[in-house]
Amino acid sequence: MPTEASPPRLTRALSGIQPTGRFHWGNYFGAIRQYIDLQPGAHQAADEAYYFIADLHALTTVRDPPVLRGFVRDAALDLVALGLDPDRALLFVQSDVPEVTQLAWLLMTVTPMGLLERCHAYKDKKTRGLPADAGLFTYPVLMAADILAYDATVVPVGEDQVQHIEVCRDLAGTFNHLYGDVFTLPCPRLVEGGAKVPGTDGQKMSKSYQNTIEVFEEPAALKKKIMRITTDSRPVDEPKEPADDHLFQLFALFADAADREAMADLYRRGGFGYGEVKQRLLAEAGRFFAEAQARRAGLAADPERIEAILAAGAARARAKAGAVLARASRACGLDHGPPPVTGR
Ligand code: TYM
């Protein structure tokens, strides 16, 4: 007897980025570049792509309303300038989709406290003796709702977000176990060389370590930051292992394969100064983002266009999240509200 094959599931890329300041090289090479590569029509395209500015998450750290508004606007401008194409991917602001916070509550009811206690953002703050609020503590649940609300299959992120995606999978698994096949389980997507971009001091690049280099850094500031990248004090002629050196790792992000190999050879041979590498990095980085920077200036002059992009993205995102919320609500016995829509 012929068996009916189930239709293949769509691949749907989804990711969020916090508007807590201007984007840095870690955000770009760890996440944003993947967003662009996964847009329908791009070389590693997913069937659909959803990207959002995580303003609700940013509220756990940015408590100045005009500053937050400015960061959200900058984030939208930066993402479009860097190549996110609103005709091929949805771009929206997290808080424009209230269905997600309602879904977060459903997930909260299946979240063990111990799971959240092990999550690093909360644990780090606690170890440093800093006060943590319930927003930070339950942050991974909201993030799980962000992902599950859209039936996302692939989540492009840097290494620091992998734990949160595991939490998301755990919660989805528990919910599905209790209530049936409600949620789609997502997978993280990391890129080699970009999953943990080092900062100017060699630790992970992060605003909290004040070791970032911004994507749209002014030329003078860019030069200053690159010149301050820490290096060891080994003599010029001593051969060095490129893989262990964060200056090399930063250079490698911008260089093509041939330049990267040539620089690695130079490291292994020795006889060069770190100053030379910094000059090369300065030139490559300036060139790399120049086109996007020019595009950003044009977009910034047309704020209504960005508002229209965000509104259109939010309308489409709400339709999807509403359908998933209705599915999840019915499954757990909440029978009021709009009826579920079938299909994923
Ligand atoms: P956020 O805003 O801290 O960072 C945005 C993205 O940038 C990546 N990233 C890095 N990648 C490589 N090297 C680095 N040094 C580096 N620094 C940052 C992050 O891994 C991330 O992919 N919780 C998320 C935002 C979020 C989200 C979501 C992400 C909210 N909901 C749902 C995916 C799906 C965050 O704080 O990212």
Side-chain angles (χ1 to χ4, degrees):
M1 212 169 78
T3 54
E4 210 175 296
S6 55
R9 282 221 171 138
L10 287 180
T11 54
R12 188 176 289 118
L14 169 133
S15 204
I17 192 159
Q18 289 197 65
T20 47
R22 298 302 296 279
F23 296 144
H24 54 70
W25 290 359
N27 297 134
Y28 180 77
F29 289 102
I32 299 171
R33 192 149 75 163
Q34 296 201 69
Y35 303 171
I36 293 155
D37 288 346
L38 286 162
Q39 298 182 122
H43 67 291
Q44 291 164 344
D47 296 313
E48 293 181 2
Y50 286 55
Y51 302 122
F52 64 90
I53 300 164
D55 60 344
L56 294 173
H57 280 112
L59 267 185
T60 63
T61 48
V62 185
R63 287 181 164 134
D64 181 324
V67 170
L68 181 59
R69 282 188 196 106
F71 283 162
V72 170
R73 178 184 157 276
D74 280 337
L77 280 172
D78 287 353
L79 289 168
V80 177
L82 287 166
L84 198 148
D85 178 355
D87 290 333
R88 294 187 289 150
L90 272 63
L91 175 63
F92 57 99
V93 177
Q94 184 184 29
S95 61
D96 276 340
V97 187
E99 287 78 5
V100 166
T101 41
Q102 199 170 337
L103 190 60
W105 177 257
L106 303 191
L107 294 171
M108 207 89 82
T109 63
V110 300
T111 307
M113 296 287 284
L115 185 67
L116 298 182
E117 274 158 6
R118 288 194 295 277
C119 284
H120 57 68
Y122 168 74
K123 218 163 90 181
D124 290 354
K125 222 167 183 178
K126 239 186 126 204
T127 335
R128 286 191 282 147
L130 298 170
D133 50 44
L136 182 75
F137 186 64
T138 55
Y139 181 111
V141 186
L142 180 59
M143 181 162 159
D146 285 329
I147 300 170
L148 301 175
Y150 305 103
D151 283 327
T153 59
V154 54
V155 187
V157 284
E159 195 181 277
D160 58 350
Q161 297 302 315
V162 170
Q163 185 189 42
H164 293 149
I165 298 169
E166 276 159 13
V167 168
C168 171
R169 289 175 59 91
D170 258 27
L171 301 185
T174 307
F175 200 95
N176 285 356
H177 181 70
L178 285 167
Y179 301 119
D181 178 26
V182 174
F183 292 124
T184 304
L185 264 60
C187 292
R189 183 182 191 274
L190 305 174
V191 276
E192 209 190 315
K196 190 176 175 186
V197 172
T200 51
D201 58 357
Q203 297 185 80
K204 185 194 94 167
M205 187 175 284
S206 163
K207 276 168 228 133
S208 10
Y209 301 147
Q210 296 175 345
N211 63 0
T212 60
I213 303 181
E214 289 170 10
V215 166
F216 294 126
E217 200 81 69
E218 289 302 324
L222 178 65
K223 182 165 182 190
K224 206 158 143 191
K225 287 190 177 175
I226 289 181
M227 293 308 155
R228 284 200 188 141
I229 294 173
T230 55
T231 50
D232 60 34
S233 52
R234 277 178 296 178
V236 163
D237 34 316
E238 193 173 306
K240 301 161 186 83
E241 177 48 44
D244 304 338
D245 181 68
H246 57 278
L247 176 58
F248 175 82
Q249 288 161 14
L250 290 171
F251 175 80
L253 295 171
F254 295 96
D256 61 24
D259 285 351
R260 201 160 46 229
E261 218 17 71
M263 182 62 83
D265 274 351
L266 192 64
Y267 263 72
R268 290 190 199 101
R269 279 204 310 271
F272 73 97
Y274 287 120
E276 273 175 61
V277 188
K278 290 182 177 180
Q279 288 297 349
R280 289 279 308 279
L281 174 60
L282 180 61
E284 298 282 348
R287 243 196 317 271
F288 194 88
F289 291 119
E291 213 179 288
Q293 190 137 23
R295 229 179 356 247
R296 191 187 193 282
L299 286 163
D302 187 2
E304 281 168 15
R305 170 147 183 248
I306 289 291
E307 282 310 316
I309 290 171
L310 295 176
R316 289 178 58 196
R318 278 200 81 174
K320 178 66 191 165
V324 175
L325 176 63
R327 192 204 302 152
S329 301
R330 293 291 153 132
C332 61
L334 304 172
D335 288 337
H336 295 267
V341 182
T342 51
R344 294 189 174 186

